[in-house]
Amino acid sequence: MGWQLQVLAQSDDFNDGNDTTPVTWTHYDAISTIFGASAQDTWSFPGGNTYRLQAVASSDPGTAGPARVSSFPTNIYSDFYAAVDVVNWDNTYSQKIGMLGRAGSFGSRGFPTTRGYMFIYVNGGASAGTDNYIAIARLQDDAQTQGIHGSSGATAEVHGVNLDPSNKYRFVFMAKGTHLEGRIYQLPDVHTPIAVVSANTAGDSIQHTSGKCGVFAFNVTDEFSIDFAGPADATFDNYVAGPVPPDTSFTDDFNDGNDTTPVPGWLREDPIAQAGIPPACYPGATFTFPSGGYRLFSPVPCDTAAGSPRVSSLRAESIWSDFYISLDVLNWDNTIRELFGIAARINTPGPGTTGGYLLTWEEGSTALPNSTGGDFDLLRIQGEGRTEAFQMESNIPGQNSGIHLTNGVSYRFVYIAKGFNFEARIYQLPETTTPVKRLFAIDTLSMFPNGYVGVIVADHPSDSTPHACWTTFDNFYVAAAEPRLTFDRSSGNAAVSWSASLDGIWVLESSSRLDFGAVWTEITADQITFLSGQRIHMATTPMASNADTYYRLRKL
């Protein structure tokens, strides 16, 4: 998925059908090891490319505890980032599945000493009918203990998280100092979490500061809701761990004069050529790099059966849901009516099939070149726009999308999505603080929840005579979100929010002063909620009675 972790990282996709290479995993059969029982656990590789952990039902839950199985690579971390895909589990009984961090002191015969921290998903079971939730808990002396302060106050739990075994999920467990965070993503989207739980061990009498990361499953009830009486069974894939979170953003300034590095390269889309128009009629789109920029050019074909000139280039290594994209536009052909800009959540790219969202600017319909015309649009397209090209900004009345851009002046386009709410900005460089244009849009049809991102240039389809089209771009950047606080005072109390998709662990802090020597106090996790990809803090007192409060977002 494009992870690039620093030295000391470990990763295993299990495509070799074993857990000995490229990472050596240690099997830990707790009941057998501590109580001298026969082997309780098995580790297998369904399909030769996944990792299944199973434990038979405990014969004596009161003494030996529940069925449980785990596996650990060798590296030891203090701060850590660990992730694994959960691709299947038995949902007919209740079990806890997930990840461990800072694990160690593994038990031996007669000594249940295993300890660490756990990020768990608890399924209530088909017959048990109890709550499904995620939590961060402490493992002490081979047993789960509660009490880590976090999302629910005295405990780090978030309830009402319902996962479906027919889907696949990515579990992420992170630690920085005393702060722990667990996230769940529904694949293929690896950028916007569907659930987040936070914990802080500061003040705990027991602190685990280093240890191994790994995966586990253990039983909660059997199918008849008898505590700890059932088996455990979960299947994992694509494990990765390292000392720091990976940077999930992507950037390319094209200063290397190509679109093949950083690897993987850009996916060049030339729909006219892909439609089968022969080179004798259509020599093909070109992708060049004048003065460190990225120029896309599409000539006019002699046969317009495949449509007007158009060309795009996509980042196809990752699927994006929420996003923050910025792109510099350096110059273009202002003698024709072309449109150009950012493509996002692109699905089924190809001639006559491309769907998704565009942020584009065009010269307008007056005589060209002009000094006043131009239009900024947020488009939803189907069938490359020939089936539908809808201007989503029209769903928000009162906006004016008109703006003139001067060819040869550099501009930065910014495209932001949170769910099906979109924002677009244009900055005239070098100014990057105050946009010269800002538009908002909503896709009321909620048509494309995720997809690829990239750049696009197209001759305006309404032109009666097709024209060759080209635009030069630079400094493409995409991330799941912008690290920025949003402030809402509509309720009378301050509501401060930010994206839960930011890489790493972030804390919200407040102060009554901004001058030198101001004291910033962390707002605890139980005062922060998660909703629709956002972390939200609602002040408990009205703004009028608590006027001098400032907030900042800080990455640990």
Side-chain angles (χ1 to χ4, degrees):
M1 292 291 184
W3 281 328
Q4 296 179 358
L5 290 178
Q6 295 181 3
V7 66
L8 302 180
Q10 295 175 307
S11 62
D12 198 339
D13 62 10
F14 307 104
N15 288 348
D16 52 12
N18 64 59
D19 59 0
T20 56
T21 58
V23 174
T24 301
W25 292 75
T26 298
H27 299 166
Y28 183 55
D29 185 334
I31 292 179
S32 177
T33 300
I34 297 171
F35 298 97
S38 59
Q40 306 286 300
D41 303 342
T42 57
W43 297 260
S44 59
F45 308 90
N49 59 4
T50 59
Y51 195 31
R52 185 178 186 182
L53 278 61
Q54 295 173 275
V56 299
S58 174
S59 60
D60 188 2
T63 300
R68 54 198 186 274
V69 55
S70 57
S71 194
F72 301 87
T74 55
N75 281 9
I76 293 177
Y77 303 101
S78 179
D79 296 339
F80 65 83
Y81 170 95
V84 74
D85 295 349
V86 178
V87 297
N88 198 9
W89 68 94
D90 194 325
N91 204 39
T92 61
Y93 49 85
S94 182
Q95 57 179 328
K96 300 186 178 184
I97 56 178
M99 312 184 72
L100 293 105
R102 297 179 181 168
S105 303
F106 296 98
S108 57
R109 182 67 179 271
F111 295 93
T113 55
T114 309
R115 52 80 179 166
Y117 295 110
M118 316 165 70
F119 171 44
I120 54 180
Y121 170 67
V122 185
N123 74 295
S127 61
T130 55
D131 182 30
N132 300 337
Y133 64 96
I134 59 174
I136 295 175
R138 187 190 308 111
L139 181 67
Q140 191 68 30
D141 296 333
D142 210 61
Q144 177 187 336
T145 62
Q146 303 291 343
I148 299 177
H149 194 279
S151 294
S152 298
T155 57
E157 297 179 354
V158 174
H159 292 258
V161 178
N162 302 309
L163 305 186
D164 184 345
S166 64
N167 296 325
K168 298 179 180 180
Y169 302 90
R170 177 156 296 172
F171 284 32
V172 170
F173 193 19
M174 298 180 283
K176 181 72 173 180
T178 62
H179 289 79
L180 304 170
E181 185 168 299
R183 301 180 183 181
I184 296 181
Y185 301 79
Q186 183 170 330
L187 298 175
D189 182 3
V190 297
H191 301 290
T192 305
I194 62 171
V196 177
V197 62
S198 299
N200 190 347
T201 65
D204 285 2
S205 59
I206 298 174
Q207 295 278 342
H208 303 313
T209 58
S210 66
K212 297 181 179 181
C213 295
V215 295
F216 75 93
F218 68 90
N219 182 262
V220 179
T221 71
D222 66 8
E223 65 271 27
F224 304 109
S225 300
I226 300 174
D227 289 346
F228 310 135
D233 185 352
T235 304
F236 303 92
D237 201 1
N238 298 317
Y239 174 87
V240 65
V244 295
D247 185 356
T248 60
S249 65
F250 171 83
T251 185
D252 197 342
D253 61 11
F254 306 104
N255 289 346
D256 52 12
N258 65 61
D259 59 0
T260 56
T261 55
V263 176
W266 290 74
L267 178 64
R268 298 176 172 184
E269 288 289 316
D270 185 355
I272 296 177
Q274 293 166 359
I277 301 300
C281 176
Y282 177 70
T286 60
F287 304 79
T288 56
F289 308 91
S291 302
Y294 190 32
R295 178 172 292 177
L296 277 60
F297 169 77
S298 177
V300 178
C302 67
D303 181 353
T304 59
S308 301
R310 60 202 186 278
V311 57
S312 63
S313 194
L314 303 175
R315 299 303 310 175
E317 78 280 4
S318 192
I319 299 292
W320 295 87
S321 180
D322 290 355
F323 57 78
Y324 173 91
I325 305 172
S326 67
L327 173 71
D328 293 353
V329 178
L330 305 185
N331 50 53
W332 60 92
D333 187 347
N334 65 343
T335 66
I336 68 166
R337 191 185 178 197
E338 64 177 13
L339 55 89
F340 52 81
I342 298 171
R345 294 188 191 167
I346 297 300
N347 286 248
T348 59
T353 60
T354 302
Y357 302 109
L358 306 181
L359 163 59
T360 61
W361 181 84
E362 57 162 311
E363 289 278 1
S365 57
T366 59
L368 300 175
N370 66 50
S371 58
T372 58
D375 192 55
F376 194 29
D377 291 316
L378 291 93
L379 300 170
R380 181 187 64 227
I381 65 167
Q382 298 179 72
E384 280 199 297
R386 288 186 285 178
T387 301
E388 179 193 86
F390 177 72
Q391 296 181 5
M392 297 185 297
E393 67 270 19
S394 65
N395 287 328
I396 300 180
Q399 298 189 107
N400 178 9
S401 61
I403 181 174
H404 178 74
L405 304 185
T406 302
N407 191 21
V409 175
S410 297
Y411 298 90
R412 177 159 294 172
F413 288 15
V414 171
Y415 201 9
I416 303 169
K418 296 177 182 178
F420 293 97
N421 295 287
F422 300 88
E423 180 183 347
R425 307 172 190 164
I426 294 181
Y427 299 85
Q428 182 172 322
L429 297 175
E431 170 62 46
T432 58
T433 302
T434 304
V436 296
K437 193 70 176 181
R438 196 173 186 183
L439 282 178
F440 298 91
I442 299 173
D443 180 10
T444 57
L445 300 183
S446 303
M447 190 165 289
F448 300 105
N450 52 58
Y452 303 138
V453 299
V455 299
I456 187 170
V457 183
D459 180 34
H460 199 284
S462 67
D463 282 359
S464 57
T465 302
H467 298 94
C469 56
W470 63 267
T471 302
T472 308
F473 303 106
D474 203 359
N475 300 318
F476 180 89
Y477 173 80
V478 58
E482 183 182 22
R484 182 189 297 266
L485 289 174
T486 299
F487 186 78
D488 183 1
R489 58 183 181 179
S490 59
S491 68
N493 290 26
V496 183
S497 63
W498 69 97
S499 173
S501 301
L502 299 176
D503 294 332
I505 299 177
W506 296 70
V507 294
L508 181 67
E509 297 174 330
S510 66
S511 175
S512 61
R513 298 164 47 192
L514 284 180
D515 58 341
F516 181 76
V519 176
W520 291 89
T521 303
E522 181 180 336
I523 295 172
T524 56
D526 58 299
Q527 300 179 67
I528 298 169
T529 58
F530 172 84
L531 179 65
S532 300
Q534 295 289 108
R535 307 300 302 272
I536 304 169
H537 167 66
M538 177 68 74
T540 56
T541 57
M543 291 178 61
S545 62
N546 192 23
D548 295 328
T549 302
Y550 304 91
Y551 297 94
R552 74 179 185 184
L553 191 61
R554 182 170 66 90
K555 186 176 184 180
L556 297 179

